[in-house]
Amino acid sequence: MANKKKIVYFLGAGASYGAGATAIVQAGGKIPIPTQATFWNTFLRFCSSRRNRIDIESFLFRYFLGYGKTPARLTPIERRKLLTNIDVEEVFTFLSERARAPSTSPQLRTYALKIWNALVSEIGNVFLHFKPNVKTRSVYRSLMSNHYRSFDTIVSFNYDTIFESSLLARTKARYVGLNDSSGGVSVLKPHGSVNWGVSDDGSIQIESTPAESVIVAPTHLKFVSTNPDEGASQAGYLNQSEEIRDIWAQMEQKMRGARVLIFIGYSFPVSDLYFSSVLRSVLADRDTNPGIVVVNPDAVAISDRLKSRFAIRKVVQYFDIGQFVQSSRAELIDQIIA
């Protein structure tokens, strides 16, 4: 009976944005955590390595805008503005494919791996700039008090730690799948986290500022074949470590036993085909479908997309994370069974 009451909450990039996550910049200014529309501007602004920034920017101008070289006469702000409409997931997918396609020349393969590793290594540096604040604490603590129960699970697709750091001290997050993590709130992070590093024995451990964060890049291709000659090129893929593989397996297990799946700020991007395949498998193997809830300003379009792609007839919609967290668990269940 307890299984039927379980809820799995999925936090996408829109959850951190909707909760008010920001980074402090010069003169005390604040910029919001990036979404697709602001990703490259924010990412390149916060790159820790000047060499990486130059290489990534040059790559984007050449392969996605058709420039022979980066336009030197433009200011950094003007250059970043030109990159706005480049799809983040398409960039990572292009690099992953070019690094593996049989027809790729050795020169392009080497170049693609270089840019891939530069992007993967900088993701942690960029998202470490975003910290919890008064608003994020209010939003996520309301979520915990009004909705979350101890038998529920939080799945965060976000690299940032805004959710975990916004919780009360007595409700500390426990990273499921990591041996050195303890706390009362179960959190699965299938895309990795900016505060995860790799220990000397190769296992993932929690570090406040790791030399290189453990992340799974946003690409169609979640797995990569192992080639000992390519060394660190496996970084950024789902099969980079046993812990990441186990986290995905545990997420799927939790989904199979859940009464409700709630997607907060997650828009089901086309690039995340692997998660879509997980959801499709879960729905096909259950006797009855779980309740589906979408919390997103674009909830209508996302709901229509879900119903067209999966065997889902009803989606409960909320258009604002603040509105959702102020509602109650009982109200939500009533809407689902109505």
Side-chain angles (χ1 to χ4, degrees), residues 125-245:
N125 299 326
V126 170
F127 282 91
L128 274 170
H129 284 80
F130 295 88
K131 308 295 183 183
N133 54 45
V134 172
K135 184 177 179 182
T136 65
R137 293 187 184 98
S138 174
V139 168
Y140 284 130
R141 291 175 186 181
S142 293
L143 171 67
M144 302 307 289
S145 61
N146 295 338
H147 289 272
Y148 178 85
R149 300 295 180 267
S150 60
F151 42 77
D152 294 336
T153 300
I154 303 288
V155 175
S156 174
F157 290 121
N158 297 325
Y159 304 126
D160 65 75
T161 60
I162 302 299
F163 169 75
E164 304 95 288
S165 302
S166 293
L167 300 180
L168 292 166
R170 67 174 181 272
T171 54
K172 180 183 175 183
R174 176 178 70 86
Y175 292 120
V176 179
L178 271 62
N179 292 329
D180 62 338
S181 183
S182 62
V185 179
S186 298
V187 179
L188 286 158
K189 299 197 77 171
H191 286 168
S193 189
V194 297
N195 63 334
W196 294 1
V198 179
S199 65
D200 293 338
D201 64 4
S203 63
I204 297 176
Q205 62 183 12
I206 301 170
E207 302 176 26
S208 56
T209 54
E212 186 166 318
S213 299
V214 175
I215 66 102
V216 175
T219 170
H220 292 305
L221 309 174
K222 294 295 187 189
F223 293 95
V224 62
S225 59
T226 303
N227 185 337
D229 295 331
E230 293 177 353
S233 64
Q234 195 173 349
Y237 291 95
L238 189 152
N239 57 332
Q240 65 187 277
S241 73
E242 178 130 8
E243 290 95 333
I244 293 292
R245 291 192 293 269

Side-chain angles (χ1 to χ4, degrees), residues 45-317:
R45 182 174 187 168
F46 285 144
C47 276
S48 63
S49 163
R50 182 175 178 272
R51 183 72 263 164
N52 281 345
R53 179 183 58 75
I54 292 172
D55 288 344
I56 293 167
E57 194 174 56
S58 174
F59 161 77
L60 293 173
F61 272 105
R62 179 180 178 185
Y63 283 88
F64 285 82
L65 295 184
Y67 284 67
K69 59 181 180 179
T70 304
R73 293 186 178 182
L74 298 181
T75 67
I77 293 176
E78 290 171 334
R79 292 199 304 271
R80 294 197 297 264
K81 188 175 181 180
L82 291 175
L83 304 174
T84 298
N85 293 325
I86 298 176
D87 186 85
V88 178
E89 288 82 5
E90 187 177 351
V91 169
F92 279 92
T93 297
F94 171 84
L95 290 168
S96 187
E97 288 178 339
R98 289 301 89 194
R100 303 291 162 180
S103 61
T104 305
S105 67
Q107 294 82 1
L108 178 54
R109 180 175 289 108
T110 299
Y111 182 60
L113 287 170
K114 173 185 174 182
I115 302 301
W116 171 273
N117 288 326
L119 284 166
V120 168
S121 67
E122 289 291 352
I123 283 178
N125 299 326
V126 170
F127 282 91
L128 274 170
H129 284 80
F130 295 88
K131 308 295 183 183
N133 54 45
V134 172
K135 184 177 179 182
T136 65
R137 293 187 184 98
S138 174
V139 168
Y140 284 130
R141 291 175 186 181
S142 293
L143 171 67
M144 302 307 289
S145 61
N146 295 338
H147 289 272
Y148 178 85
R149 300 295 180 267
S150 60
F151 42 77
D152 294 336
T153 300
I154 303 288
V155 175
S156 174
F157 290 121
N158 297 325
Y159 304 126
D160 65 75
T161 60
I162 302 299
F163 169 75
E164 304 95 288
S165 302
S166 293
L167 300 180
L168 292 166
R170 67 174 181 272
T171 54
K172 180 183 175 183
R174 176 178 70 86
Y175 292 120
V176 179
L178 271 62
N179 292 329
D180 62 338
S181 183
S182 62
V185 179
S186 298
V187 179
L188 286 158
K189 299 197 77 171
H191 286 168
S193 189
V194 297
N195 63 334
W196 294 1
V198 179
S199 65
D200 293 338
D201 64 4
S203 63
I204 297 176
Q205 62 183 12
I206 301 170
E207 302 176 26
S208 56
T209 54
E212 186 166 318
S213 299
V214 175
I215 66 102
V216 175
T219 170
H220 292 305
L221 309 174
K222 294 295 187 189
F223 293 95
V224 62
S225 59
T226 303
N227 185 337
D229 295 331
E230 293 177 353
S233 64
Q234 195 173 349
Y237 291 95
L238 189 152
N239 57 332
Q240 65 187 277
S241 73
E242 178 130 8
E243 290 95 333
I244 293 292
R245 291 192 293 269
D246 181 55
I247 287 167
W248 279 83
Q250 292 203 48
M251 177 187 69
E252 185 168 347
Q253 181 184 28
K254 296 294 184 182
M255 292 169 68
R256 293 181 188 280
R259 181 178 184 180
V260 183
L261 304 178
I262 300 178
F263 299 94
I264 305 175
Y266 181 72
S267 58
F268 288 87
V270 175
S271 65
D272 212 349
L273 293 175
Y274 188 77
F275 177 71
S276 292
S277 71
V278 171
L279 177 59
R280 197 177 299 280
S281 298
V282 167
L283 295 177
D285 290 346
R286 291 175 56 121
D287 294 330
T288 59
N289 277 352
I292 303 292
V293 180
V294 170
V295 183
N296 198 298
D298 202 20
V300 173
I302 294 170
S303 299
D304 290 344
R305 188 156 66 245
L306 277 173
K307 286 186 281 189
S308 69
R309 293 176 62 191
F310 304 96
I312 296 172
R313 295 182 179 179
K314 179 180 179 181
V315 178
V316 175
Q317 301 170 12

